[in-house]
Amino acid sequence: MQKNQELVLSVTDLNNLGFGVAHHEGMTVFVSGAIDGETVRARILTVKRTYAVAKTCEVLTPSPDRIPSDCTARGCGGCAYREVTYEHERSLKRHYVESVFRKAGLPDVRILPVVTPTDADGKPQTSGYRNKAQYPIALSPNGDYLFGFYGAKTHRVVEAIDCPLQNPAFAPILRSLRAYFSEHRLTVWDETSGQGLLRHVYLRAGEESGEILLTLVVNGSSLPDEAGFVSYLRARHPALVGILLNENREQTNVVCGKVYRTLWGK
C-alpha cells in the first residue's frame, strides 16, 4: 500500500471520529467520507505500520443510512455524523459504549437505550443544541474576518458562522462582530509573530433563559473605544446580558487567559 494509491474498499464500521473502517491486505484503513455498509473508491493519504488513512473519492455503493449533510463548513471536523441518519447515529453510539465495557471485561453490563433530547414539538433535537462556542478569529487572503473552527489537525480556521450544531442566536452576533471589526480594522492575532489583537469570540447561551454572554479574547488589555463597542452590540442584540474582555497574551493553544474584565452587564 502506498500514498496516493487508489483502492476500492468495503467499509464495515464507522468509528467515533466519523471515519469509515475498512481492511485491505491485512491493514486497517480509516476512510474519511465513508459510512459502514458502503463500497467506496478511496485515495490513500497516510500509511503507517499497522494502519492507513484514506479519503473517499467516490461512493460506489451508498449506505441506506446515508443522508445529505447540512453542514456548510466542510473540513472543520466538528460534526462526525451529519451524513448518517439519526437512528443510525444512536445505534453506533450505543455500540461504542457496549464495546468499551466488553473490552474492560464486563460483557454482561446492560446498556440502556440512548436518551434523545427533544424540541418543543417532541422531535429529536439534532441541530442547534450546543450552548457554548469558542470561535477563533482569522483573516482570509482578501482581508475578510473569519469566525469558525480549526480544521482537523491544523490551525487553519474554517468559516463556520452557520454551523448547524450551534445555538442559532450566535450567527447574527458573529455577523455584527464582522461588520464592526471591518469598519474599525482591528488587527487579528498571528500565532507565529505573536502580534495582533483579536483572538477568539466565546459565546454562551442560557437554554431556558435565552440570555447570551459574550467574551472577546484579545492579545492585550483593552479595546479601542470600548464604550462604542458595547453600544454597537447592545443596540443589535437585546439577548446579550454581559460583554466581557479576556486577556490572553500567551503563545498557547489555551483559548482564555486568567484575566477577565466586564465591559458591561453581568
Side-chain angles (χ1 to χ4, degrees):
M1 192 181 298
Q2 296 178 343
K3 183 177 179 180
N4 293 324
Q5 180 181 358
E6 290 193 1
L7 300 171
V8 174
L9 300 170
S10 296
V11 182
T12 58
D13 201 358
L14 188 65
N15 72 10
N16 63 334
L17 299 177
F19 283 79
V21 182
H23 297 88
H24 181 77
E25 296 181 349
M27 288 273 285
T28 300
V29 185
F30 298 103
V31 190
S32 67
I35 297 171
D36 52 320
E38 294 186 330
T39 302
V40 302
R41 181 171 57 84
R43 180 166 58 86
I44 302 297
L45 303 179
T46 304
V47 180
K48 300 294 185 180
R49 187 172 62 86
T50 58
Y51 71 92
V53 179
K55 179 180 181 180
T56 297
C57 300
E58 181 183 5
V59 178
L60 303 175
T61 306
S63 164
D65 295 307
R66 178 179 283 277
I67 59 173
S69 173
D70 59 354
C71 178
T72 59
R74 308 302 292 172
C76 88
C79 44
Y81 304 108
R82 299 308 284 186
E83 293 182 338
V84 301
T85 63
Y86 184 63
E87 292 74 16
H88 190 49
E89 178 182 342
R90 285 179 43 156
S91 175
L92 287 167
K93 290 182 175 179
R94 188 177 184 186
H95 168 70
Y96 298 149
V97 176
E98 289 173 339
S99 66
V100 168
F101 280 97
R102 187 169 58 252
K103 290 175 182 177
L106 299 167
D108 297 327
V109 171
R110 185 167 66 99
I111 308 301
L112 298 177
V114 175
V115 176
T116 305
T118 56
D119 60 20
D121 297 324
K123 297 178 181 178
Q125 187 177 1
T126 60
S127 297
Y129 55 81
R130 289 184 176 171
N131 72 335
K132 180 190 84 169
Q134 297 171 324
Y135 301 91
I137 307 171
L139 287 176
S140 72
N142 61 3
D144 291 333
Y145 290 83
L146 301 178
F147 303 86
F149 305 108
Y150 291 126
K153 299 183 179 180
T154 75
H155 271 201
R156 175 179 58 88
V157 175
V158 178
E159 174 79 14
I161 283 182
D162 294 305
C163 172
L165 303 187
Q166 303 298 339
N167 188 304
F170 291 171
I173 295 173
L174 294 176
R175 290 191 168 87
S176 292
L177 289 172
R178 171 181 282 165
Y180 184 90
F181 296 158
S182 297
E183 180 182 350
H184 294 81
R185 300 311 304 169
L186 298 186
T187 59
V188 174
W189 185 69
D190 179 84
E191 63 181 3
T192 302
S193 66
Q195 302 299 309
L197 182 64
L198 305 173
R199 293 185 67 149
H200 280 78
V201 177
Y202 183 4
L203 293 169
R204 293 186 76 104
E207 294 183 8
E208 297 296 330
S209 67
E211 296 177 342
I212 298 175
L213 184 69
L214 182 152
T215 299
L216 186 63
V217 183
V218 297
N219 177 36
S221 58
S222 63
L223 282 178
D225 187 15
E226 293 177 349
F229 177 69
V230 168
S231 296
Y232 176 91
L233 288 176
R234 289 186 64 191
R236 289 160 176 80
H237 303 287
L240 285 171
V241 295
I243 301 173
L244 287 79
L245 200 69
N246 176 266
E247 180 179 339
N248 186 354
R249 300 174 184 262
E250 301 297 322
Q251 290 280 102
T252 176
N253 292 334
V254 177
V255 173
C256 292
K258 296 180 180 179
V259 178
Y260 289 83
R261 182 160 57 87
T262 303
L263 302 183
W264 165 81
K266 58 182 178 179

